Amino acid sequence: MSVRSYFMAKYYDASMKKMERACLSRWRSELLSDISGDVLEIGSGTGANLPYYPQSIHRLVLSEPESHMRDLLRQHINQTPGGKCTAESSSADKLSFPDNSFDSVVSTLVLCSVDSPDTALHEIKRVLKPGGKLYFIEHVLAKDAPHLIKWQRLVQPLWRYMCGNCHTARDTERHISDAGFTFETLEKLHASGAPSLVSPTIKGVAKR
Ligand SMILES: C[S@@+](CC[C@H](N)C(=O)[O-])C[C@H]1O[C@@H](n2cnc3c(N)ncnc32)[C@H](O)[C@@H]1O
């Protein structure tokens, strides 16, 4: 395991604190307030969404392929009452679950980091039951600010190297739509507290 992934896990929560306070905590809470049934979260990181899941959900599987992140995730799960939650190591491009096994899939700040968003979304669709829903918060290509796009593209190789394969110029809205999902809600937001390159954000729910 690389030194970079060790440090990314160790300092992830601290590095996100300003943005969590400014907007992300509220967005997580709004997104997950009415989620239900059997829920899979991909790329759970250290478990930042854990406090926002309603008690009423039936089952929660948190999947995180990176081992240092997963160690911290397990610690946070152990501190969370309820006992409905398990940690898994699946990568989003090869989910180890049968077809049609979840009512909801959650992805927050993950589709920027997978190698192929199309493959990940195909897998998400496969494990969702018919009519199941993808809940997402993702930073995206600055389609409403063309001057920023050139910087997002220019900086992307270095940003990917420094920040765990995170792509600054990904058109995730288009990838979700191309995968055959229908948007139930789609908000276009700007994350205060984040560097401007990763500030343009989409938040919403898309139906399989
Ligand atoms: C920016 S962090 C987001 C963590 C968390 N979802 C959150 O909202 O704070 C990106 C996460 O995606 C994970 N990740 C990267 N590639 C992945 C993949 N192919 N499948 C699933 N997760 C992946 C990383 O290990 C990391 O935990």
Side-chain angles (χ1 to χ4, degrees), residues 1-2 5-6 9-10 66-73:
M1 194 48 60
S2 79
S5 63
Y6 170 80
K10 191 169 166 68
E66 205 285 304
S67 66
H68 299 298
M69 284 285 199
R70 202 167 54 251
D71 289 345
L72 296 170
L73 175 64

Side-chain angles (χ1 to χ4, degrees), residues 180-205:
F181 285 92
T182 308
F183 290 107
E184 278 201 336
T185 63
L186 177 61
E187 289 176 73
K188 299 187 180 185
L189 304 162
H190 285 273
S192 33
S196 51
L197 290 175
V198 290
S199 166
T201 301
I202 56 170
K203 165 175 168 276
V205 180

Side-chain angles (χ1 to χ4, degrees), residues 7-175:
F7 282 105
M8 181 157 169
K10 191 169 166 68
Y11 295 110
Y12 181 72
D13 288 344
S15 71
M16 296 296 284
K17 242 184 196 145
K18 189 173 167 205
M19 196 176 151
E20 292 286 353
R21 261 194 244 116
C23 56
L24 203 46
S25 299
R26 178 167 47 82
W27 292 349
R28 293 181 194 278
S29 165
E30 290 167 357
L31 183 74
L32 300 175
S33 64
D34 68 348
I35 198 165
S36 60
D38 292 327
V39 180
L40 168 67
E41 184 181 317
I42 59 162
S44 299
T46 60
N49 287 324
L50 262 173
Y52 305 104
Y53 284 104
Q55 282 296 315
S56 52
I57 59 172
H58 182 247
R59 178 171 69 115
L60 177 59
V61 179
L62 300 181
S63 189
E64 171 51 54
E66 205 285 304
S67 66
H68 299 298
M69 284 285 199
R70 202 167 54 251
D71 289 345
L72 296 170
L73 175 64
R74 288 215 162 95
Q75 287 174 24
H76 288 143
I77 288 175
N78 291 338
Q79 292 157 9
T80 305
K84 288 176 187 167
C85 183
T86 52
E88 286 271 348
S89 60
S90 266
S91 172
D93 16 79
K94 201 162 190 264
L95 292 171
S96 61
F97 310 100
D99 298 358
N100 307 329
S101 38
F102 293 97
D103 300 288
S104 314
V105 172
V106 175
S107 171
T108 60
L109 311 177
V110 180
L111 291 173
C112 56
S113 297
V114 300
D115 285 334
S116 163
D118 294 331
T119 307
L121 285 158
H122 180 270
E123 278 293 90
I124 291 168
K125 212 172 159 195
R126 181 184 67 73
V127 302
L128 274 172
K129 297 174 189 173
K133 293 177 186 178
L134 168 64
Y135 292 71
F136 60 86
I137 298 171
E138 299 288 348
H139 69 80
V140 290
L141 185 73
K143 286 199 274 193
D144 61 351
H147 66 283
L148 196 56
I149 291 180
K150 102 173 164 235
W151 290 106
Q152 286 182 313
R153 293 204 167 119
L154 197 68
V155 170
Q156 183 161 272
L158 179 64
W159 196 277
R160 280 180 61 193
Y161 179 77
M162 298 297 293
C163 302
N165 201 38
C166 174
H167 293 66
T168 43
R170 207 160 246 184
D171 188 355
T172 302
E173 177 187 345
R174 181 180 61 75
H175 287 291

